[in-house]
Amino acid sequence: MDPFVFNQLASRMVFGAGAVRQVGVECAGLGVTRVMLVHDASATAPADDIAVQLGPTMVLRWHEVAQHVPVALADRARDAATAAGIDAVVCVGGGSSTGLAKAIALSHRVPIIAVPTTYAGSEQTTIYGLTGGRHKQTGRDAAVLPRVVVYDPELTVGLPPTVTGPSSFNALAHSVEALWAPGCNPVTTAIALEGVRAIHASLPTVMAHPSDVDARGRLLVGAALSGMALGATSAGLHHKICHVLGGMFDLVHADAHSVVLPHVLAFNAPALPAEMAGLAAALGVPVGEEAAALWDLAVASEVPTRLADLAGSGRSLQRDDLRAVAEAAAGEVTTNPRPVDTAAILGVLERAFDGHRPTVTTAARSAS
Ligand SMILES: NC(=O)c1ccc[n+]([C@@H]2O[C@H](COP(=O)([O-])OP(=O)(O)OC[C@H]3O[C@@H](n4cnc5c(N)ncnc54)[C@H](O)[C@@H]3O)[C@@H](O)[C@H]2O)c1
């Protein structure tokens, strides 16, 4: 076996139906006394609950949140944080709220207490992102890893199917790409495969019965594991393509993951026989059917499967846009199981644009 290094990230997880009522106690446990509460409109109810728990400890409540953390928004939030003299950030909401909290933690070096309400998984990583113009810049800093994550499946019951499905694919992408991303090792593979198993087994139940708290809980565990898998490895070809798409066209982040994942997987699968055997077992399909199985799950979950159907920045994505995306992504990918260049990425993007059920042989032949 090859030698490896696994860095376990130091974060406390509090999980359970009704766990949102523990946020005040968790803040007290950290000894913080001047809390900034960050959330968007979708999280007003749990934020109200948290505000009551915090009482006078909450010195600032911030409602303005946007996908991909625009720099101007981060600057406004940071100025308000400075003026209020905060010593901690509590964020409740999806990856966008967590992302803004991370931007503040990055500049102010204060702890984050995160209460996720989607399956994005950002709360388990040291990765932050800020978008200026049409480019999303990401980086890593231990200061942005939440010190405490409170997972309450009851908060996800109202998540609409149009967010639940793609957000689950965002989580699946973390686990699937962790099978080959730089930094992967037997420990991250075990975490990632369990993440895949949990999501694959629970997502159909959640889509059919959105208020099934138990199934929501199993899906949230899968999302947490997937976030841990991403946090312990790094972004590979799939995440680079999605970040470029998000930064250039302001596409809904999770929708881009749903569409692109099966096609990147089909492209890389021929170079990953051992990893695909594990993934096939986790998905319960014959070896060689992994990418198709993810596409089938996407169709069954009614998530987007064609780049042609995605819109951002006020217009839908055009086939002519794909070359610029391929060139930008090729400039960002450092390592990949198969050799990858602009032409190969363009092939992946074109197949994702058309959105047909992927086969490993088609992806392998067109890239060779
Ligand atoms: N840094 C990382 O490690 C990391 C990992 C994954 C994603 N991200 C980032 O996270 C962002 C995407 O996160 P996201 O997909 O959660 O999007 P989001 O936070 O924008 O949420 C998506 C939508 O769902 C709504 N919503 C959230 N929770 C809800 C609930 N419980 N009920 C009803 N509506 C709810 C939000 O208001 C929003 O309209 C992107 O910017 C992405 O880059 C970062």
Side-chain angles (χ1 to χ4, degrees):
M1 178 178 284
D2 293 334
F4 67 91
V5 174
F6 171 67
N7 280 314
Q8 182 136 341
L9 299 179
S11 169
R12 173 177 161 89
M13 188 188 297
V14 178
F15 195 104
V20 69
R21 293 190 284 278
Q22 301 300 313
V23 172
V25 174
E26 292 298 325
C27 287
L30 290 176
V32 297
T33 57
R34 301 187 64 77
V35 175
M36 175 177 185
L37 178 59
V38 171
H39 67 93
D40 68 9
S42 73
T44 300
D48 284 348
D49 186 341
I50 292 167
V52 170
Q53 294 174 48
L54 293 174
T57 308
M58 188 186 75
V59 294
L60 177 61
R61 186 162 172 173
W62 186 270
H63 308 264
E64 191 189 351
V65 169
Q67 219 197 185
H68 304 309
V69 196
V71 173
L73 168 61
D75 287 346
R76 277 199 302 283
R78 286 164 165 169
D79 288 347
T82 303
I86 67 159
D87 66 3
V89 189
V90 171
C91 55
V92 51
S96 301
S97 298
T98 312
L100 183 61
K102 285 180 162 186
I104 295 160
L106 185 67
S107 54
H108 286 62
R109 316 311 277 183
V110 293
I112 297 174
I113 299 90
V115 187
T117 63
T118 69
Y119 308 108
S122 175
E123 69 283 351
Q124 292 294 342
T125 81
T126 59
I127 304 166
Y128 62 86
L130 287 159
T131 306
R134 294 178 83 205
H135 182 69
K136 183 167 181 176
Q137 185 75 44
T138 58
R140 283 188 185 248
D141 193 309
V144 309
L145 179 73
R147 290 273 293 281
V148 180
V149 184
V150 176
Y151 287 104
D152 186 342
E154 286 180 352
L155 301 187
T156 63
V157 162
L159 197 61
T162 48
V163 182
T164 296
S167 185
S168 300
F169 267 78
N170 188 182
L172 269 175
H174 301 333
S175 275
V176 169
E177 188 150 77
L179 299 175
W180 68 72
C184 68
N185 59 58
V187 181
T188 57
T189 296
I191 294 170
L193 289 177
E194 193 50 39
V196 170
R197 254 188 291 275
I199 296 167
H200 185 250
S202 57
L203 180 57
T205 310
V206 166
M207 294 306 284
H209 308 284
S211 53
D212 182 332
V213 176
D214 196 48
R216 287 276 188 185
R218 282 180 274 124
L219 186 53
L220 201 51
V221 167
L225 289 166
S226 299
M228 290 163 79
L230 171 67
T233 57
S234 37
L237 175 62
H238 170 79
H239 281 76
K240 297 289 184 193
I241 290 175
C242 290
H243 280 148
V244 171
L245 282 168
M248 277 189 174
F249 302 102
D250 197 28
L251 301 181
V252 173
H253 179 76
D255 287 357
H257 279 283
S258 316
V259 175
V260 172
L261 182 64
H263 300 283
V264 173
L265 179 60
F267 176 79
N268 273 340
L272 299 163
E275 291 80 358
M276 289 308 106
L279 183 58
L283 293 169
V285 297
V287 173
E289 290 290 309
E290 307 82 24
L294 288 187
W295 188 90
D296 292 344
L297 182 63
V299 170
S301 309
E302 296 181 12
V303 308
T305 49
R306 299 181 346 132
L307 279 182
D309 293 338
L310 300 192
S313 308
R315 68 176 181 88
S316 55
L317 202 68
Q318 305 296 310
R319 195 178 286 277
D320 286 350
D321 294 325
L322 301 181
R323 177 161 289 279
V325 176
E327 284 168 356
E332 294 200 15
V333 177
T334 47
T335 60
N336 192 60
R338 290 183 66 185
V340 69
D341 57 13
T342 302
I345 296 176
L346 189 57
V348 169
L349 286 168
E350 281 174 346
R351 287 188 288 280
F353 192 84
D354 295 330
H356 300 307
R357 191 173 190 260
T359 65
V360 173
T361 18
T362 310
R365 205 184 306 120
S366 69
S368 58

